[in-house]
Amino acid sequence: MDGIGTLAWTRSLRTRMRDCDWVKRGVEQWKARLSAQVNRPPDIPLLGGGWSHRYICPDDGSALVRVDRHHHECPCCLRIWSGSPWDDAAVAEEHNRFAQDARLAAVVYAASGEAVYAQWAKTVLLFYARHYDRFPLHDIFGKVGEEAGKYGAKVQNQTLSEASWIYPLAQACTILRHASMLSAGELEIMEERLFRPVVRVIDRNPRDRSNWQTYHNAALAAIAEALGDPALLKRALDDEANGFHFQMESGVGEDGFWFEGAWSYHFYTLEAQAVIAWAAMGFGEKLYEHPRLRAMFDIPLKAMLPDGTFPALHDSKVVDIRSYAHLYEWAYAFYGIGEEIVRSSDRGSLYGVLFGAPLETLPLPLSEAELSMKGCAGETGAAGEAAAITVLSKPGMVSVTCGAGEEAQALLVDYGEHGDWHGHYDKLNLLYYARGRSWLADAGMVPYGHKLHKAWYVHTVAHNTVTVNGRSQQEACGRLRKAVSDSGIIRVEAEAEDAYEGVRLNRRLTLAGGLLVDVFRVTAGEPSTVDWVMHTQGNPVEALPVRYTADLAESLSDTDGYPHLRQVRRLEGLQDDWMLEWSWNGEDGEDERLQVYGLAEPWGASVYLAESPFMPPVQVRSACIRRVPSCIRTAFVTVFRACRKGDAPLSLRLIGDPSDSEGLLLEVRDGEQGETMLWTV
């Protein structure tokens, strides 16, 4: 592969313009997008940008939509917000957009030869070069100058954001330099007044293993290519405590998943790693051959849910792999993987135009159902259903997918590393997908500027796991004991011994016959109150003759997220074996149901329903809490069944002592089908 902007690269791009319809279409789309800008001077604000995580509605945490530079609308409540911090965050996004548009304009020039695009890109570069020293050093806390500390930046508000902003500008400079569109004096201005000062700002804040440092490295690598500075590239790649190779070895597992255990941050980091490899091409380096870089592209294809999404884990929202089709243009071009994802896009992205390979053998775009099928490759069980078990070793998670189409099921258990700053206190958290719905989902996140991020979303009670004595877990790392598939039955077992001092948590899951069986055992060194917690995007269906008695969240616990539970009700009149049902709270889901069976309920257990905070736009979920007071050993046995409205309850019988780790049997009778099954669970 040729370096960006070189004569060979430009010739290849123009050949692609002639031969590849999506390349021509992409460039024409960019020309249309830029046409209103390139004939007038860029209106770049001389203000440093604010923090994107404050560009939210303070009421509901929704990301705002820009109306203009001083007005910002909440898509949920439709309220308009103005002033700081919203105007500041909008300015940060303007700076990002100018950098990205300058890069696009340079590419359009290289593809078309129309000088107006090169001139506009140069104007943007020179504006920032001539004014960079006028932007005050500032940080996300409002500190200015030396008080901003090592995290502060100038055009943006932190070194991470400064790095993200500068690398597209550096790539634009590289293209214009190779095309002889910059004079020696203009190059000197850009080097001495923009690129070298940015490097000095970034160098104030080495970040070790982190997505931050990966973006720092991307900025250094792109600047190195713009300036033709191999020593700077070497530093970006080989710094023993921060460089690209260090990040790959310390931050990426052999399976390819980024250590923070959040899919948003996996793809976010991958974006920067690709930029580094892209810049290195200009020096003849083939970083794209690094096995862990390829693995970072490969692991999402193995671990995605049947609908092509990834669950909100740790500091992540729900991620759709199709929103990263541009990255899979790279993956398909270099590794021959991800062709289904490429087919799902219009291919007009920057990577599609510059790297996208022909797909002559794949003439039709993938339907969602076909994409779902791709998530289920692996061992075939007795019922002919494909089963895939993927262990994400670095963060410590196991992902299971089986079946196809409407019968597809998936689960994920988080047992491993905390995930550093982006981790949540969620050992043995369970996620469950069935009949096209994520019935048990993670709390996810709201932007860090919202008070609920630390007050609710990181706490244990916000997840599908167990709390002890009404407190959140400690940072801990558990272990996976078992993850096997045999004759159509999938078994997963994980445990954690350090989440609470003197407490052992063990979760054993069995996926078979369209059901998920969950046996959660807790052993404590002294009498403790244990809460089994479940959250679902569903509305509880009233169960008669159960009585619902209003209660206060603080009666459960007055700390660690519990006070944010609302509409708490205690259920009275439940049997030792009970069934509760939820209807899906979402589009086209009025007939979808989740049946939850509690079997051999521990002595003295109480069951509560509540509403719990969730990410916008849903905003609220239903929580079920089963509390066992003052116990040393207890076990919660639960069966989950996704079904349709009107489906009769199953007849379930537990054989054995739930607190025993071996020999527990579940008898399942389906009266409608006339079938009886007996499983070891």
Side-chain angles (χ1 to χ4, degrees):
M1 281 287 185
D2 301 302
I4 188 172
T6 61
L7 180 59
W9 177 88
T10 302
R11 286 174 176 167
S12 174
L13 175 59
R14 292 183 178 181
T15 299
R16 289 167 61 78
M17 275 279 288
R18 184 190 68 229
D19 297 340
C20 305
D21 61 337
W22 74 89
V23 176
K24 182 177 181 180
R25 184 172 64 249
V27 172
E28 291 300 322
Q29 288 173 349
W30 299 341
K31 290 173 69 173
R33 168 179 162 181
L34 295 167
S35 61
Q37 298 174 244
V38 296
N39 291 306
R40 65 173 187 264
D43 179 22
I44 302 175
L46 274 171
L47 299 170
W51 195 27
S52 62
H53 283 273
R54 292 201 179 101
Y55 197 59
I56 57 173
C57 176
D59 295 335
D60 54 43
S62 298
L64 301 180
V65 177
R66 184 181 188 271
V67 178
D68 56 42
R69 194 172 277 176
H70 302 291
H71 298 88
H72 321 279
E73 184 178 46
C74 173
C76 286
C77 67
L78 304 182
R79 183 170 176 179
I80 300 293
W81 299 89
S82 297
S84 185
W86 308 286
D87 291 5
D88 306 333
V91 164
E93 185 52 36
E94 282 196 64
H95 288 306
N96 286 331
R97 191 168 64 250
F98 276 113
Q100 292 159 10
D101 284 353
R103 177 176 60 180
L104 283 185
V107 173
V108 169
Y109 164 70
S112 68
E114 297 178 48
V116 65
Y117 295 96
Q119 292 296 337
W120 187 84
K122 181 166 71 171
T123 300
V124 174
L125 278 160
L126 286 172
F127 177 92
Y128 282 116
R130 288 169 176 152
H131 295 90
Y132 188 72
D133 63 351
R134 293 177 57 183
F135 288 90
L137 196 70
H138 65 290
D139 67 11
I140 65 174
F141 305 108
K143 297 179 180 178
V144 179
E146 290 306 313
E147 290 186 4
K150 65 180 183 179
Y151 296 100
K154 293 171 75 67
V155 169
Q156 299 289 350
N157 58 83
Q158 53 186 2
T159 54
L160 168 64
S161 306
E162 200 89 337
S164 301
W165 161 75
I166 197 63
Y167 78 73
L169 286 172
Q171 291 174 318
C173 179
T174 300
I175 295 170
L176 298 184
R177 176 174 66 84
H178 282 299
S180 299
M181 293 300 291
L182 300 173
S183 69
E186 289 167 337
L187 278 169
E188 183 179 4
I189 289 172
M190 292 177 192
E191 177 174 0
E192 298 302 325
R193 296 178 62 180
L194 177 61
F195 293 127
R196 297 295 183 189
V198 168
V199 171
R200 288 193 288 272
V201 167
I202 291 172
D203 281 348
R204 295 163 58 256
N205 187 25
R207 296 295 296 163
D208 196 85
R209 180 182 73 163
S210 64
N211 64 73
W212 279 58
Q213 187 61 46
T214 302
Y215 273 86
H216 291 180
N217 294 339
L220 299 184
I223 290 172
E225 187 179 22
L227 302 181
D229 184 345
L232 185 58
L233 178 75
K234 179 174 176 57
R235 183 152 68 86
L237 303 187
D238 298 334
D239 185 307
E240 292 184 357
N242 297 286
F244 170 86
H245 293 292
F246 168 78
Q247 299 294 330
M248 282 295 175
E249 294 305 314
S250 65
V252 181
E254 291 185 5
D255 50 67
F257 197 32
W258 182 244
F259 79 98
E260 290 173 306
W263 284 108
S264 291
Y265 278 101
H266 176 88
F267 284 108
Y268 180 63
T269 305
L270 181 54
E271 296 266 14
Q273 304 287 33
V275 169
I276 298 167
W278 187 5
M281 293 178 197
F283 295 87
E285 296 268 3
K286 297 181 179 180
L287 293 186
Y288 53 82
E289 294 181 349
H290 195 295
R292 291 198 182 180
L293 181 57
R294 170 175 175 153
M296 288 186 76
F297 288 98
D298 205 22
I299 193 63
L301 301 176
K302 299 176 181 178
M304 64 184 177
L305 293 176
D307 63 356
T309 65
F310 301 90
L313 281 167
H314 294 191
D315 280 352
S316 179
K317 297 184 178 180
V318 175
V319 173
D320 192 320
I321 197 167
R322 284 154 287 206
S323 65
Y324 291 95
H326 63 288
L327 286 178
Y328 282 94
E329 294 280 8
W330 170 293
Y332 186 67
F334 285 99
Y335 315 124
I337 61 174
E339 59 190 12
E340 300 87 0
I341 313 306
V342 172
R343 286 173 57 194
S344 70
S345 75
D346 67 1
R347 312 204 68 192
S349 67
L350 182 65
Y351 282 11
V353 167
L354 298 184
F355 299 110
L359 298 172
E360 291 91 347
T361 59
L362 302 168
L364 297 176
L366 265 189
S367 68
E368 185 166 317
E370 290 173 314
L371 185 61
S372 298
M373 294 281 288
K374 296 294 181 179
C376 305
E379 180 182 345
T380 300
E385 298 177 341
I389 299 174
T390 303
V391 178
L392 306 168
S393 59
K394 196 69 178 177
M397 300 174 182
V398 58
S399 172
V400 175
T401 309
C402 69
E406 190 177 86
E407 302 305 316
Q409 293 179 279
L411 64 83
L412 183 141
V413 180
D414 181 355
Y415 61 86
E417 289 187 28
H418 180 70
D420 282 8
W421 198 86
H422 296 295
H424 291 188
Y425 304 97
D426 63 349
K427 290 308 98 180
L428 305 194
N429 183 27
L430 169 65
L431 310 183
Y432 179 50
Y433 171 102
R435 292 184 59 85
R437 316 284 178 184
S438 289
W439 285 105
L440 301 189
D442 191 275
M445 64 171 291
V446 288
Y448 307 136
H450 197 278
K451 62 183 180 181
L452 276 182
H453 174 69
K454 290 294 188 183
W456 168 257
Y457 286 89
V458 303
H459 283 295
T460 306
V461 72
H463 301 82
N464 303 308
T465 184
V466 156
T467 73
V468 176
N469 294 325
R471 302 301 303 267
S472 283
Q473 300 171 358
Q474 305 171 119
E475 291 189 15
C477 183
R479 62 172 176 156
L480 181 65
R481 293 181 58 87
K482 179 189 300 181
V484 298
S485 176
D486 182 30
S487 301
I489 298 178
I490 297 168
R491 304 183 192 280
V492 173
E493 184 178 359
E495 66 181 14
E497 296 182 339
D498 299 324
Y500 295 99
E501 186 175 354
V503 177
R504 180 173 177 268
L505 309 178
N506 177 278
R507 190 161 212 167
R508 183 179 293 184
L509 299 155
T510 305
L511 192 64
L515 304 178
L516 172 62
V517 185
D518 171 26
V519 182
F520 204 133
R521 297 182 174 92
V522 180
T523 305
E526 59 184 39
S528 303
T529 296
V530 179
D531 289 346
W532 177 96
V533 186
M534 178 202 92
H535 301 267
T536 183
Q537 187 182 324
N539 296 316
V541 178
E542 294 287 329
L544 297 176
V546 176
R547 301 182 302 279
Y548 298 81
T549 303
D551 209 332
L552 296 175
E554 287 76 9
S555 69
L556 296 171
S557 175
D558 61 0
T559 189
D560 289 3
Y562 276 87
H564 293 283
L565 295 170
R566 295 289 180 264
Q567 304 295 322
V568 178
R569 298 180 294 169
R570 179 171 175 167
L571 278 58
E572 298 176 346
L574 287 174
Q575 303 298 314
D576 288 344
D577 292 347
W578 50 260
M579 189 274 281
L580 296 174
E581 191 169 81
W582 280 260
S583 62
W584 181 256
N585 176 23
E587 187 177 354
D588 300 326
E590 59 272 8
D591 290 332
E592 297 293 333
R593 295 290 186 269
L594 177 70
Q595 293 178 347
V596 179
Y597 298 81
L599 304 182
E601 200 71 342
W603 183 86
S606 300
V607 179
Y608 298 83
L609 294 181
E611 291 182 354
S612 60
F614 193 49
M615 299 175 292
V618 176
Q619 297 187 279
V620 65
R621 296 183 297 173
S622 175
C624 178
I625 299 174
R626 297 150 77 183
R627 165 162 288 192
V628 179
S630 191
C631 64
I632 293 177
R633 296 181 66 195
T634 193
F636 301 93
V637 181
T638 316
V639 178
F640 299 97
R641 179 200 189 197
C643 58
R644 300 280 293 177
K645 180 180 179 180
D647 286 352
L650 299 172
S651 175
L652 304 175
R653 184 167 69 101
L654 203 60
I655 303 171
D657 184 350
S659 63
D660 289 341
S661 60
E662 303 296 338
L664 189 62
L665 301 176
L666 177 67
E667 182 183 78
V668 182
R669 292 184 180 180
D670 187 336
E672 294 181 346
Q673 301 295 325
E675 297 179 352
T676 300
M677 296 169 284
L678 189 65
W679 300 324
T680 301
V681 295

